[in-house]
Amino acid sequence: MKDSKLRSERLEFYAEDMERLHTELDSFLELSKARCALLIDRDGHLVTRRGDAVQSSADSISALVAGSFAATKEMARLLGETEFSVMFHQGKRDSIQLQLVGERTLLAVLFDDRTNLGLVRFYAQEAALRLQDVFESIVGRRGGGELASNFSDVGQAALDELF
């Protein structure tokens, strides 16, 4: 991928963005009674985590979640779907639901027998919509990301005026 494309697609998070994401995730965890929620970009990078600490590396889990979602996207394509937006894995003790949030982010929810899949799915769907709104506002704020053609001259004039 070209550097310019990477720069144009990258999201920059400010403190207020993280606060909004954390508020949404904390509310989701309280309502669903899930243990942990991770926001992961589709490249496998952890954006943020809320709730109980993950037993193993959150970075490793993030990479595996993104890989699992990518493999499932290919399976969906082979079955005639564009992609599957929600996945669920059930274990003896713990379960995980993976859900697409917008075009570029995944919500991974870890939960156990303190709750049930129905509650997690219901509240995750609502949370995904609210999180998508947060991401859209971040993308909307981004603007062109390009410096003005006269940036150097304006900067030099401002420095000259200052000193």
Side-chain angles (χ1 to χ4, degrees):
M1 188 178 282
K2 293 193 177 268
D3 286 345
S4 61
K5 185 169 191 237
L6 281 172
R7 277 193 297 276
S8 70
E9 292 181 353
R10 154 185 95 211
L11 291 180
E12 294 175 351
F13 297 99
Y14 296 108
E16 58 268 14
D17 300 328
M18 295 310 293
E19 187 176 312
R20 289 176 64 202
L21 292 172
H22 289 166
T23 298
E24 294 300 340
L25 292 174
D26 290 342
S27 175
F28 162 73
L29 289 172
E30 184 177 331
L31 292 168
S32 70
K33 306 297 183 222
R35 286 187 24 230
C36 180
L38 298 99
L39 273 179
I40 303 163
D41 72 16
R42 287 185 88 154
D43 293 328
H45 301 107
L46 180 65
V47 174
T48 192
R49 178 196 62 80
R50 301 302 279 178
D52 296 344
V54 179
Q55 295 294 341
S56 55
S57 166
D59 290 330
S60 295
I61 290 174
S62 298
L64 291 168
V65 162
S68 178
F69 221 89
T72 302
K73 182 175 182 173
E74 182 59 19
M75 187 183 347
R77 188 189 67 76
L78 292 171
L79 294 171
E81 293 284 336
T82 18
E83 68 185 342
F84 295 128
S85 60
V86 178
M87 293 173 33
F88 170 69
H89 301 282
Q90 183 175 358
K92 288 181 184 178
R93 192 183 67 242
D94 295 313
S95 298
I96 186 169
Q97 176 175 301
L98 312 175
Q99 180 160 349
L100 189 60
V101 176
E103 293 294 317
R104 59 194 314 157
T105 312
L106 303 168
L107 172 62
V109 181
L110 286 73
F111 61 99
D112 56 22
D113 60 3
R114 292 183 284 182
T115 189
N116 63 61
L117 178 60
L119 277 176
V120 170
R121 284 205 175 177
F122 177 78
Y123 289 115
Q125 189 65 34
E126 289 184 358
L129 293 172
R130 290 191 306 274
L131 290 165
Q132 185 174 345
D133 289 343
V134 174
F135 284 117
E136 286 174 0
S137 71
I138 293 168
V139 169
R141 173 188 70 218
R142 179 171 51 198
E146 300 294 323
L147 296 176
S149 60
N150 66 341
F151 176 77
S152 181
D153 296 334
V154 171
Q156 184 63 46
L159 287 172
D160 288 344
E161 189 175 312
L162 189 66
F163 296 107

